[in-house]
Amino acid sequence: MSTFLLLNGPNLNLLGSREPDVYGATRLGDIEARCQELASEHGHELSSYQSNAEHDLIDRVQKAGEDGVDFIIFNPGAFTHTSIALRDAFLAVAIPFIEIHLSNTFAREEFRHHSYFSDIALGCLFGFGAYGYELALHAANRHITNAEDK
Ligand code: DQA
């Protein structure tokens, strides 16, 4: 059994009501519940955390390092495009992670095209809406299972 962390950044607590034409109608609680369900099916434990504050997200990543979390699925929200501090937190703990975005940020404004996380992530998912989180969970499971087999 492995432990996963589902981490969501600023404004993602508003999913469901926030710009539904861009982000869809699914609420964050439903995404977290679905990921929880899939993690249990794969025999893993998953905890979920969302914050609008950069320092809280950094603290949560550091705690994941202390707790020995095996894998993180992370939607950094707008911090994707700004946060060297969060990038450094991921480099510090060296936990493999998937960067996920509901929208295809490359099809949007130019300031969303750069990410401080993509080059240090195991992989990235853009533009699949809430379903992307399910894909991320399956990919995380595959990565962990292969690592355990080695
Ligand atoms: C987002 C994309 C970001 O550019 C934006 O700031 C968000 C959501 C996404 O999931 O598509 O808050 O991360």
Side-chain angles (χ1 to χ4, degrees):
M1 190 204 64
S2 297
T3 50
F4 293 176
L5 171 64
L6 173 60
L7 195 59
N8 281 285
N11 297 307
L12 294 166
N13 55 313
L14 299 179
L15 285 181
S17 62
R18 172 194 185 198
E19 299 181 82
D21 46 319
V22 179
Y23 298 117
T26 311
R27 297 162 65 95
L28 182 60
D30 297 327
I31 290 172
E32 290 174 344
R34 181 67 185 129
C35 285
Q36 177 76 59
E37 194 175 62
L38 288 173
S40 321
E41 278 172 23
H42 287 306
H44 306 304
E45 237 173 41
L46 177 129
S47 41
S48 299
Y49 184 76
Q50 185 278 332
S51 177
N52 294 322
E54 191 175 21
H55 72 275
D56 285 338
L57 293 165
I58 292 167
D59 286 348
R60 192 64 190 83
V61 172
Q62 290 185 5
K63 184 175 175 335
E66 286 158 19
D67 294 349
V69 166
D70 298 293
F71 203 95
I72 301 177
I73 295 167
F74 185 35
N75 185 343
F79 290 142
T80 307
H81 321 295
T82 63
S83 185
I84 297 170
L86 262 167
R87 174 192 172 90
D88 284 348
F90 275 86
L91 288 172
V93 298
I95 298 171
F97 72 98
I98 289 173
E99 174 187 354
I100 176 166
H101 299 282
L102 294 128
S103 64
N104 179 356
T105 48
F106 294 102
R108 301 180 64 194
E109 304 97 318
E110 193 149 354
F111 64 82
R112 295 187 202 274
H113 296 185
H114 176 260
S115 165
Y116 278 105
F117 301 92
S118 301
D119 65 310
I120 59 166
L122 177 73
C124 307
L125 281 157
F126 302 84
F128 295 101
Y131 181 57
Y133 286 87
E134 296 193 28
L135 296 173
L137 214 290
H138 289 305
N141 176 59
R142 169 71 69 94
H143 176 76
I144 290 292
T145 308
N146 286 347
E148 277 168 2
D149 287 348
K150 276 174 197 152

